[in-house]
Amino acid sequence: ILQHPDGTVLKQLQPPPRGPREQEFYNKVYDSNCCDSVLLELREYLPKYFGVWSPPTAPNDTYLKLEDVTRKFNKPCIMDVKIGQKSYDPYASAEKIQQQVSKYPLMEEIGFLVLGMRVYHVSSDSYETQNQHYGRSLTKETVKEGISKFFHNGYCLRKDAIAASIRKVEKILEWFEGQEQLNFYASSLLFVYEGSCQATTVRLSDVTLAEKRGVPKGLLSSGDILEYNNNIHVINATENGKIEASVSKGLSKFYALHKKAYSKRPHSQLSLKVEALEQDVWKSSTCIAQEHLNGNVLPQLEKVFCHMPAELKETPAVEVRMIDFAHVFPSNTKDEGYIYGLKNLITVLQNILDN
């Protein structure tokens, strides 16, 4: 995949019949005269399509010009999951079928295959990458653990990203349950979520919680905003005493400002929840001080921030899009293989979330 200067990505057209078939699929879905409600809804789950492109120096090379789904992310965590019980299409030769089945014999039973992932770890400010061999090594017993690796940032499990991913996959499942026009083989879901340090902030001016990107270094900000920086290595690089004083002083100031702000306004249901949460933050500061930051600071901070009530969080930056359409064929029945894979994947994600 190449990047075009205008922010799109370029996927080189595969040799016939795969390349022309994928191009035809995109042309059909994104036809300006399209009035088919099924296809119009399908656009929501695909990268936007901007036609084909050829470089001036090689006019015979053709590329599909597509939306870069990762562009809005600072540190995108990306996973490619092939969906369906069969990774070969109805016209595949016996040799091709054998080749595909041998790559992952469990495909029919599990209904999906992790083709690769790239996960940002905030502790080391680096990515961990797994290729297709990792996905093919997963069994029925280990697939849950294998996928949960994608949602772990080195400090805690990103349950917010899992929950948002489930909702998006469920929408795609709804589309498949309601259409009998197309069957998809060897097609994938692309999962993307923001892996960079997203601070949880409490703004006393409007008593709202938000998730920020590009957080300045340091555990606590000055003024009326409390920030939790996932880059805990800052703690390790600073003297314990200084941090303890910073946490205690910062939280004291934060709590005093909070009480002052609340004395000026009526308590709404949300404000009461925020206040209760902030009381927990205040209590936790005492725990942190008493522990002398002897290695227990991370669990304390995670307790307060990583498991914040869902209703107090903004929806995290998450995308789930369908990609790879070299094996899409007209049909007059539901795509049961794809539906089976989606349901199994949702079950695995839900199990990770619940446990």
Side-chain angles (χ1 to χ4, degrees), residues 55-76:
T57 54
N60 293 327
D61 290 349
T62 304
Y63 294 81
L64 299 173
K65 203 164 185 285
L66 302 167
E67 173 190 7
D68 182 358
V69 179
T70 71
R71 193 182 184 200
K72 69 179 183 182
F73 296 88
N74 182 28
K75 298 288 185 182

Side-chain angles (χ1 to χ4, degrees), residues 131-352:
N131 62 20
Q132 56 187 317
H133 300 293
Y134 171 80
R136 288 174 186 159
S137 71
L138 299 178
T139 65
K140 287 185 295 182
E141 292 72 30
T142 62
V143 68
K144 173 184 165 185
E145 180 185 349
I147 289 183
S148 68
K149 197 181 189 80
F150 173 64
F151 293 100
H152 204 288
N153 66 7
Y155 286 132
C156 63
L157 188 66
R158 286 290 304 278
K159 290 194 170 188
D160 57 334
I162 300 172
S165 296
I166 290 172
R167 289 193 294 270
K168 289 182 178 291
V169 177
E170 285 175 339
K171 290 293 291 180
I172 293 172
L173 174 59
E174 285 179 19
W175 181 83
F176 271 91
E177 292 278 21
Q179 71 90 22
E180 298 182 353
Q181 295 186 28
L182 299 168
N183 279 6
F184 295 72
Y185 302 90
S187 185
S188 290
L189 289 184
L190 185 71
F191 290 77
V192 189
Y193 73 87
E194 180 55 68
S196 70
C197 169
Q198 294 190 2
T200 303
T201 66
V202 181
R203 297 184 178 276
L204 298 179
S205 56
D206 55 5
V207 199
T208 61
L209 291 166
E211 293 195 295
K212 291 176 62 181
R213 274 187 267 163
V215 181
K217 288 186 177 180
L219 202 62
L220 293 162
S221 69
S222 60
D224 61 354
I225 300 176
L226 170 69
E227 297 185 355
Y228 164 50
N229 187 344
N230 278 339
N231 289 325
I232 305 297
H233 64 268
V234 176
I235 289 176
N236 299 328
T238 313
E239 295 177 17
N240 285 349
K242 289 182 180 179
I243 300 173
E244 185 176 322
S246 173
V247 171
S248 180
K249 180 181 177 183
L251 281 170
S252 299
K253 182 177 180 183
F254 164 76
Y255 189 68
L257 284 167
H258 159 70
K259 296 303 292 181
K260 182 179 178 182
Y262 265 92
S263 66
K264 297 179 180 178
R265 65 180 66 192
H267 282 50
S268 66
Q269 185 177 3
L270 178 60
S271 70
L272 287 170
K273 288 181 180 179
V274 174
E275 182 172 23
L277 176 66
E278 290 163 357
Q279 290 274 10
D280 289 340
V281 174
W282 176 247
K283 291 174 185 175
S284 295
S285 71
T286 307
C287 298
I288 294 170
Q290 289 173 349
E291 294 290 352
H292 300 293
L293 292 103
N294 60 353
N296 290 318
V297 65
L298 179 61
Q300 291 295 339
L301 291 171
E302 281 191 349
K303 181 180 178 182
V304 178
F305 294 101
C306 284
H307 304 289
M308 188 174 295
E311 65 269 26
L312 296 182
K313 289 184 179 180
E314 276 194 351
T315 302
V318 173
E319 289 286 356
V320 179
R321 304 287 186 95
M322 297 169 61
I323 59 170
D324 297 336
F325 307 110
H327 303 275
V328 179
F329 296 91
S331 174
N332 54 11
T333 60
K334 286 186 179 180
D335 191 341
E336 297 295 350
Y338 202 105
I339 289 172
Y340 177 89
L342 289 176
K343 287 182 175 179
N344 262 16
L345 180 57
I346 290 170
T347 298
V348 171
L349 291 172
Q350 192 64 54
N351 284 338
I352 296 170

